[in-house]
Amino acid sequence: MSETAKLILEGKEYEFPVFTGSENEKAIDISKLRDQTGYVTLDTGYKNTGATTSKLTYLDGEEGILRHGGYSIEDLTNHASYMEVCYMLFNGELPNKEQLAAFETKISRHTLVHEDMKKIFDAYPTNSHPMGQLIAMVSSLSSFYPASLNPNRNDEAKRLTMFRMLAKMPTIVGMVYKKSIGHPIIYPNNNLDYVTNYLYMTFGNVTENFEVDPVIVEAMNKLLILHADHEQNCSTSTVRIVGSSQANLYAAISAGIAALWGPLHGGANQQVIEMLENIKADGGDTEKWINKAKDKNDPFRLMGFGHRVYKNFDPRALLIKDACDKVLNKLGINDPVLEIAKKLEETALKDPYFIERKLFPNVDFYSGIIYRAMGFPVEMFTPLFALGRLPGWIAQWKEMIDENQPIGRPRQIYTGYPLRDWKPIEKR
Ligand code: CMC
């Protein structure tokens, strides 16, 4: 007999089905709750709400497990290329050699963006934040590809939009960077693979030949994979909820980028480096800053610490910390903030405040140190997160559209005034 959950309300008993996921995760299916009882659930911040089922990513926050398509994040970062992971997120299976080559070729055919996009860039102040530009540029793609406006047109059109989005993002992120330093943009070179091409458009220069350091390519490949998908986080949920109204993919991704920008989400990677720099400038007293983070009268939070779902460790943070040591060693860089970060982590992990609240370093804690060693300015850290998260956003959007999911529309419990008599302005 299938499992059910019983609920007693106002003396009446109701039964609801229990849904079990492929990793034995349990959920009470309350889709008929309001119809049957007149009640809704109240769950501010969706801490206990499963908004969807999904085959893409499995995450166990208690055990620190992250898998895409059943493959562990450790295996994927050690063995896969970013394009293999993108393919798998789009298709559900890892590609064989021919499939991967065909996929890479297909993507490489769409790397250029319309020349008119440059005019939009021209209008931005040189030092405006890259994330604001990225949101606008991605949403502008819908104007250049009006056929994408109907996401349900047909499968072929849908895939073309997905490919265009994946292919053009490195070009746009490269353009955003070039704009920020006042340099001419670098056009994509489709003889290069996806990751190398992005690095070329960022660090290449029209005045000289460019050869990208393989250490940097390898690190970038790992970093992008580590960010590729993370089930129903704030930005992915945003992509799904915007897409659920059948807005086009570019609009949905643009909204996801906006959600990512916040310092509690992807914006944390920029904040971490700024925090570490502040601590360094303040004399490097990590105890003092830990105490600030614990002080409830002080708004300061230890950036790059804590996670809504991981309550033991963030497996991505472990992999990034390891990569960080390797990259800095290989590049011969000695960044004093790495020492501060390690000291901060060590102090926090022994402190009852952090232990009791299960607060550990998250993916953003060490990623900025690697990005900086690679030569990225801090403002580019969150666009890099967006670049990495892109295949996850696209795949989640596709899954939702393919499953014909209903529009996302949460309810609320009204706590304002009951009906009041109208008061003329002179009596208020
Ligand atoms: N520093 C100090 N205290 C913290 C921190 C922190 N970084 N994070 C959580 N807490 C405390 C919080 O004050 C609360 O304490 P109390 O129970 O006494 O009120 C308790 O821990 C639980 O925190 P919460 O805010 O209710 O937890 P949440 O699940 O709503 O928030 C979070 C998760 C990631 C937003 C939060 O931990 C945070 O603000 N971290 C810093 C920002 C950050 O690094 N964000 C990146 C997240 S990982 C990458 C990504 O997904 O983008």
Side-chain angles (χ1 to χ4, degrees):
M1 213 180 90
S2 51
E3 206 179 339
T4 56
K6 285 195 174 132
L7 174 70
I8 299 170
L9 274 176
E10 299 168 10
K12 217 173 146 195
E13 192 174 292
Y14 301 89
E15 258 186 83
F16 296 97
V18 168
F19 184 87
T20 307
S22 52
E23 287 285 348
N24 216 26
E25 288 171 294
K26 304 270 186 186
I28 304 166
D29 177 352
I30 53 139
S31 49
K32 300 271 184 305
L33 177 70
R34 190 167 179 280
D35 281 352
Q36 291 180 11
T37 67
Y39 283 59
V40 296
T41 54
L42 182 61
D43 183 23
T44 313
Y46 310 124
K47 293 190 179 195
N48 299 286
T49 297
T52 184
T53 59
S54 176
K55 293 186 173 59
L56 297 169
T57 290
Y58 172 64
L59 197 168
D60 180 334
E62 274 68 36
E63 298 295 326
I65 293 172
L66 175 62
R67 293 180 202 142
H68 302 307
Y71 298 100
S72 77
I73 193 65
E74 290 79 10
D75 271 348
L76 292 172
T77 42
N78 283 329
H79 306 299
S81 71
Y82 181 58
M83 276 292 101
E84 280 179 282
V85 175
C86 292
Y87 181 98
M88 189 184 61
L89 287 168
F90 285 13
N91 298 288
E93 296 293 342
L94 282 171
N96 62 28
K97 262 189 183 163
E98 292 73 35
Q99 288 166 329
L100 180 61
F103 183 68
E104 288 178 323
T105 305
K106 187 117 201 151
I107 298 297
S108 74
R109 290 292 173 269
H110 297 286
T111 52
L112 274 178
V113 297
H114 198 289
E115 282 293 294
D116 286 349
M117 294 271 279
K118 287 200 293 192
K119 294 185 196 150
I120 310 179
F121 266 113
D122 286 344
Y124 287 110
T126 299
N127 53 6
S128 61
H129 198 284
M131 283 297 276
Q133 296 176 40
L134 196 55
I135 292 165
M137 296 314 267
V138 168
S139 137
S140 301
L141 287 172
S142 57
S143 309
F144 293 96
Y145 300 102
S148 69
L149 296 185
N150 174 5
N152 284 325
R153 216 156 44 97
N154 58 50
D155 272 358
E156 203 188 321
K158 197 191 311 166
R159 287 191 83 74
L160 180 60
T161 303
M162 291 166 59
F163 289 154
R164 281 193 174 129
M165 185 66 253
L166 189 66
K168 292 178 198 309
M169 185 78 155
T171 314
I172 296 174
V173 178
M175 287 166 94
V176 168
Y177 172 67
K178 289 298 187 195
K179 167 80 192 174
S180 76
I181 55 170
H183 281 194
I185 62 154
I186 303 282
Y187 287 99
N189 173 353
N190 292 344
N191 295 320
L192 301 173
D193 66 80
Y194 188 92
V195 175
T196 312
N197 206 2
Y198 165 64
L199 292 167
Y200 163 68
M201 288 185 279
T202 298
F203 297 120
N205 205 315
V206 285
T207 51
E208 50 198 54
N209 288 334
F210 173 78
E211 260 180 54
V212 60
D213 185 337
V215 174
I216 293 189
V217 178
E218 193 194 322
M220 193 73 208
N221 188 63
K222 272 195 183 11
L223 283 160
L224 291 174
I225 293 175
L226 281 168
H227 288 88
D229 189 42
H230 211 234
E231 50 119 294
Q232 306 312 314
N233 56 82
C234 178
S235 54
T236 305
S237 301
T238 304
V239 169
R240 276 189 177 255
I241 209 151
V242 172
S244 77
S245 74
Q246 301 194 357
N248 64 82
L249 177 66
Y250 303 123
I253 300 290
S254 168
I257 299 172
L260 187 77
W261 193 359
L264 299 188
H265 192 10
N269 60 11
Q270 174 175 344
Q271 302 262 329
V272 169
I273 283 286
E274 288 170 354
M275 171 187 81
L276 294 173
E277 282 296 345
N278 281 341
I279 298 177
K280 189 175 117 210
D282 190 47
D285 181 355
T286 46
E287 289 273 358
K288 175 181 160 186
W289 288 79
I290 295 276
N291 287 335
K292 264 170 82 61
K294 286 158 46 177
D295 181 356
K296 294 291 172 198
N297 297 317
D298 189 326
F300 174 74
R301 275 191 170 201
L302 204 54
M303 297 314 285
F305 253 74
H307 198 275
R308 170 60 63 78
V309 188
Y310 291 120
K311 296 298 171 199
N312 192 346
F313 65 94
D314 180 340
R316 301 167 303 171
L318 294 189
L319 292 162
I320 290 192
K321 186 180 178 186
D322 185 47
C324 191
D325 277 328
K326 284 189 188 134
V327 170
L328 266 63
N329 271 338
K330 278 191 192 163
L331 295 177
I333 292 175
N334 179 16
D335 190 340
V337 303
L338 179 59
E339 285 319 304
I340 293 180
K342 286 186 178 169
K343 215 164 119 200
L344 211 52
E345 177 184 354
E346 206 182 302
T347 318
L349 294 186
K350 281 194 225 131
D351 191 300
Y353 174 96
F354 291 88
I355 295 169
E356 279 157 23
R357 289 169 181 76
K358 301 189 165 125
L359 302 171
F360 298 85
N362 59 48
V363 68
D364 294 319
F365 195 64
Y366 287 102
S367 62
I369 300 177
I370 312 191
Y371 292 144
R372 193 155 77 159
M374 290 166 142
F376 289 101
V378 285
E379 291 79 16
M380 285 306 294
F381 294 1
T382 316
L384 284 165
F385 193 148
L387 183 62
R389 183 55 52 85
L390 181 67
W393 288 332
I394 300 175
Q396 298 264 356
W397 172 87
K398 175 179 181 285
E399 187 173 57
M400 183 195 63
I401 299 281
D402 287 350
E403 289 177 3
N404 204 13
Q405 288 192 5
I407 186 165
R409 204 298 186 187
R411 291 199 175 246
Q412 63 158 27
I413 304 297
Y414 176 67
T415 55
Y417 288 108
L419 181 65
R420 298 197 273 175
D421 287 335
W422 167 252
K423 221 186 234 178
I425 196 160
E426 54 284 357
K427 294 205 173 144
R428 287 175 216 159

